[in-house]
């Protein structure tokens, strides 16, 4: 009869634990959300390429490009005056292969899926499958100076040294 009790005390303890759990879950969920777009830092990769005897790299800016998937490279080179153009080398192989009908090529660049190449030759922007095949004209480019190929199928390029940047559909058309 003389004992006193503090009503609500056990409820407050349970309520405090519940709020602590909610706060902990919120912190964990926030941490997961915050780090979901963070990619782990990768160490730089280094590559050394020794050309086979008889193949020469054509000197000039932009005459070598590594594929987006990191499995191949393309370079402008020559074996002789009659055999020059784009050479593709899979990094799993030691010998590059010359892509036919790419003589006079410069400033090659890869498609985002690493399956095709674009390059400049004969006053045109052209494209060719990286495995070899038909060379297709994309559009005119009097003295092309490099480009990039978007995932949406658009190429951004400089048709000459003094021009503004232009874009064209990778399938071909009028540049804009």
């Amino acid at each position: 009869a003389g004992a006193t009790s503090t009503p609500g005390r056990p409820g407050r303890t349970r309520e405090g634990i519940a709020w602590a759990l909610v706060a902990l879950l919120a912190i964990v969920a926030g941490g997961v959300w915050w780090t979901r777009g963070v990619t782990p830092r990768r160490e730089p990769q280094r590559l050394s390429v020794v050309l086979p005897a008889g193949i020469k790299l054509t000197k000039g800016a932009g005459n070598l490009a590594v594929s987006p998937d990191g499995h191949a490279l393309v370079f402008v080179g020559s074996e002789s005056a009659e055999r020059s153009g784009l050479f593709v080398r899979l990094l799993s192989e030691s010998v590059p292969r010359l892509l036919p009908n790419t003589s006079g090529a410069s400033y090659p660049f890869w498609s985002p899926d690493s399956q095709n190449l674009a390059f400049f030759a004969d006053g045109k922007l052209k494209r060719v499958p990286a495995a070899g095949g038909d060379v297709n004209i994309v559009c005119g480019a009097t003295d092309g100076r490099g480009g990039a190929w978007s995932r949406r199928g658009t190429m951004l390029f400089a048709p000459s040294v003094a021009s503004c940047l232009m874009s064209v559909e990778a399938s071909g058309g009028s540049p804009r």
Side-chain angles (χ1 to χ4, degrees):
T4 61
S5 67
T6 53
R9 188 148 230 265
R12 282 190 180 153
T13 301
R14 279 189 224 123
E15 184 179 302
I17 291 172
W19 278 110
L21 285 174
V22 167
L24 180 62
L25 286 174
I27 291 170
V28 170
V32 168
W33 177 81
W34 180 261
T35 60
R36 71 185 161 106
V38 176
T39 56
R41 181 180 170 157
R42 295 183 183 172
E43 292 300 315
Q45 300 294 310
R46 290 169 180 79
L47 171 68
S48 177
V49 177
V50 177
L51 295 177
I55 297 179
K56 295 180 181 172
L57 181 66
T58 301
K59 293 182 181 179
N63 283 338
L64 179 108
V66 177
S67 64
D69 66 9
H71 292 120
L73 60 91
V74 62
F75 64 90
V76 180
S78 64
E79 289 179 310
S80 66
E82 297 83 36
R83 291 186 43 86
S84 66
L86 295 179
F87 284 82
V88 174
R89 181 179 151 214
L90 299 177
L91 297 183
S92 60
E93 298 175 357
S94 59
V95 179
R97 68 184 184 295
L98 175 64
L99 295 180
N101 303 315
T102 59
S103 181
S106 65
Y107 294 96
F109 56 97
W110 291 89
S111 64
D113 63 4
S114 302
Q115 298 300 306
N116 294 281
L117 289 158
F119 63 99
F120 300 93
D122 307 318
K124 308 263 188 261
L125 173 58
K126 300 179 179 185
R127 67 179 275 178
V128 64
D134 292 335
V135 174
N136 296 302
I137 296 172
V138 177
C139 67
T142 56
D143 188 25
R145 293 298 169 168
W149 197 325
S150 80
R151 293 188 189 281
R152 294 182 180 173
T154 302
M155 293 179 182
L156 183 67
F157 68 101
S160 68
V161 175
S163 69
C164 60
L165 291 177
M166 304 291 284
S167 68
V168 66
E169 294 302 314
S171 57
S174 297
R176 51 193 181 283

